[in-house]
Amino acid sequence: MRLKTSLLKEPKHKELVSCVGWTTADDLYSCSDDHQIMKWNLLNGETTLVAKLPDDIYPIDLHWFPKSFGGKRQTHAENFVLTSSDGKFHLISKTGRVEKSVEAHCGAVLAGRWNYEGTALVTVGEDGQVKIWSKSGMLRSTLAQQGTPIYSVAWGPDSEKILYTSGKQLIIKPLQPNAKVLQWKAHDGIILKVDWNSVNDLILSAGEDCKYKVWDSYGRLLYSSQSHEYPITSVAWALDGELFAVGSFHTLRLCDKTGVRNVLNDAVDLLEFRDRVIKASLNYGHLVVSTSLQCYIFSTKNWNTPLIFDLKEGTVSLILQAERHFLLVDGGGLYLYSYEGRLISSPKVPGMRTDILNVQTISLSNDTLAIRDKSDEKVIYLFEPLAGKPLGDGKPLTHKTEIMEIALDQKGHTNERKIAFIDKNRDLYITSVKRFGKEQKVIKIGTMVHTLAWNDTCNILCGLQDTRFTVWYYPNVIYVDKDILPKTLYERDASEFSKNPQIVSFAGSQVTVRRADGSLIHISISPYPAILHEYVNNSKWEDAVRLCRFVKDQTLWACLAAMAVASKDMNTAEIAYASIGEIDKVQYISSIKDLPSKESRLAHILLFSGNVQDAETLLLQAGLFYQAIQVNINLYNWERALELAVKHKTHVDTVLAYRQKFLDDFGKKETNQRFLQYAEGLEVNWDKIKAKIELEIAKERERAAATPAVRASVTIQR
């Protein structure tokens, strides 16, 4: 990616240009010491004089009012604020008419910025004051006052904090009174410019020490440039937070670059567009490009005839692709399109700021769209892409702490769709997006995870975990047999990635990681787990076993064991568990295979995976009341066992007998009033109880023999 620059033969402004501001993707306004406001159009190259300011107004800073918020168009969107050297700021319309001038500071007003909602304006000046104003120009408060000029100011992403300069220091001050102020030395010279991105929550600073730096919102240094020849006078983030520009004397830098080439035959295609390219994304066999006016959809099989459709706004901030469709995000909303260019849906979340969504806070699969809410970072909204409506019962997924990054798996059945997310404590969780009318099981599978990604062809998850690179070859194992989770992992040292790396993609058997300095590192993992996933998805169990025997890898056998239990193929599960030395589980699986009825076998498979409630429900639905009671006895769920026995008027004496034996073994006496009530006057006769149990087993065998082979139906949440 390059910056395309051009220089007019004759300058339009007669004096120094002091400030500029984009109003659309193609229209730029500029102000100069010649008191003129000029409008520049990039499409036709025209420059027009908008207005001539009074001779006593020397512009310093310009900022446009936010166009939209929460998907709604702002009424003041055609205005901008202009600060000047006479201590005033001016509210000016798009046509150049000065709507209002306000006496703001003693000395020049050095910077002015609207907050993201457009409800407040902050100004700073040579008098060392930070002032908050209403959108109509009424003073609300003086937030801070110091003895040195404040050269730059920026709002925090939530519009609840202000970042401003103080000599060599940076200060973050919350709007709430008595809240903690964060202050740190950022440069060795006076800081001239700052910017705070609302998407990635990172801070840029530039100073007279000829350096620019990147900070997180806690004041920790993430990157420091080398010392340049001249002071850095300007820095600015791109809206999506992926790039930033740096300005100095005769110097303009764009701090990132990417490139695309066909590595199969080394062919290079030059794609030319009528308008400026804003965003591009290449995935799933399609290249999606948004310009300032249109969207182009290329197939990698045919670069000559793209599908083209017009855009409502030329401010696309994010393109997200899935196998069947893609999502465009701009300041006005979310738009889901097919690769044929047809608008599928436009999901809406009331009050959500779509302009701050990024790849960490929104995820797309063929059947699910997940969005983390910025106003409440503990909440994830789930949508059906085709309908644009909330998924299931419409309730969002809620976590106990703030969620930092989300990712949906890409393959498999809709009912088994999983979402992985990292919370503020850097713990990695996984859960199902479908509820089936019950609470979701949110299970932690990793700690100190900084970044994650799902594979594009099968449900394998990778992440950078503390100083290790970790691959979860079968994350679903946590719902099947969590004891063997460590055996399904691949880990290697990740110290080569330095600090703050990000996983860019996980395609096939290759993971691409971007280091903090922008360099890309490629990691290759074993291709065999992906092949195993394919065999299991197609129910090719013999091929799966043959693959594991060929590779002779314990990790692969552990994955196959869990996959087989999840698919209820107990023969394969028995082979796989034996191969990893889980003898107790082999014996249990063998006992399951000897059970007389299909319902009992399925119930014990559910018990094997820890789904006690599902197992009990299945047995009760099948009329196997004794078996349901015995399950609870075996798990020492005494009260539930007695409750079932009383409710179905059977085997009350069996429950009481096993309870008494349990107490006798530990030398305890019965204290539960409910058990004392039913045991009153009842004499335990073990011969009679054993006879009843044998009769129940015989009945089940007879029933299984007489019942046609009908598939047992049960709804299971994994």
Side-chain angles (χ1 to χ4, degrees), residues 267-284:
V268 177
D269 288 285
L270 179 63
L271 305 176
E272 295 187 352
F273 301 91
R274 185 187 69 183
D275 309 311
R276 282 189 309 119
V277 173
I278 305 294
K279 275 287 175 185
S281 175
L282 176 63
N283 218 332
Y284 298 103

Side-chain angles (χ1 to χ4, degrees), residues 272-440:
E272 295 187 352
F273 301 91
R274 185 187 69 183
D275 309 311
R276 282 189 309 119
V277 173
I278 305 294
K279 275 287 175 185
S281 175
L282 176 63
N283 218 332
Y284 298 103
H286 291 88
L287 173 66
V288 181
V289 178
S290 73
T291 69
S292 54
L293 295 176
Q294 294 176 314
C295 181
Y296 295 74
I297 306 170
F298 296 87
S299 169
T300 54
K301 298 176 182 177
N302 180 11
W303 295 104
N304 298 320
T305 53
L307 287 160
I308 306 172
F309 61 88
D310 293 335
L311 295 171
K312 292 181 180 179
E313 292 190 28
T315 56
V316 172
S317 58
L318 180 65
I319 301 174
L320 209 58
Q321 290 181 256
E323 187 178 15
R324 298 176 190 165
H325 41 239
F326 66 94
L327 185 76
L328 293 183
V329 181
D330 64 21
L334 309 171
Y335 307 96
L336 200 75
Y337 289 91
S338 68
Y339 286 111
E340 290 76 41
R342 179 175 58 87
L343 179 63
I344 298 172
S345 65
S346 182
K348 289 181 172 55
V349 180
M352 177 171 285
R353 281 179 54 197
T354 56
D355 60 307
I356 63 172
L357 294 174
N358 63 6
V359 290
Q360 279 81 40
T361 57
I362 185 168
S363 185
L364 178 68
S365 71
N366 287 334
D367 47 54
T368 310
L369 172 65
I371 307 171
R372 191 214 63 186
D373 189 8
K374 180 64 179 177
S375 60
D376 185 355
E377 295 183 346
K378 300 177 182 178
V379 174
I380 300 174
Y381 290 100
L382 301 168
F383 293 91
E384 294 179 15
L386 297 181
K389 296 180 180 178
L391 197 67
D393 58 9
K395 293 181 180 178
L397 170 65
T398 304
H399 188 53
K400 57 189 177 184
T401 56
E402 290 82 358
I403 296 168
M404 308 304 292
E405 185 173 349
I406 64 174
L408 288 162
D409 65 10
Q410 297 298 310
K411 294 295 180 179
H413 195 270
T414 305
N415 289 339
E416 297 180 351
R417 181 70 56 233
K418 299 292 187 300
I419 184 169
F421 61 86
I422 302 170
D423 69 9
K424 195 174 183 180
N425 299 323
R426 291 297 167 188
D427 292 329
L428 174 61
Y429 291 83
I430 189 170
T431 186
S432 175
V433 300
K434 289 290 183 91
R435 284 184 178 74
F436 307 111
K438 60 176 72 173
E439 280 299 311
Q440 295 156 306

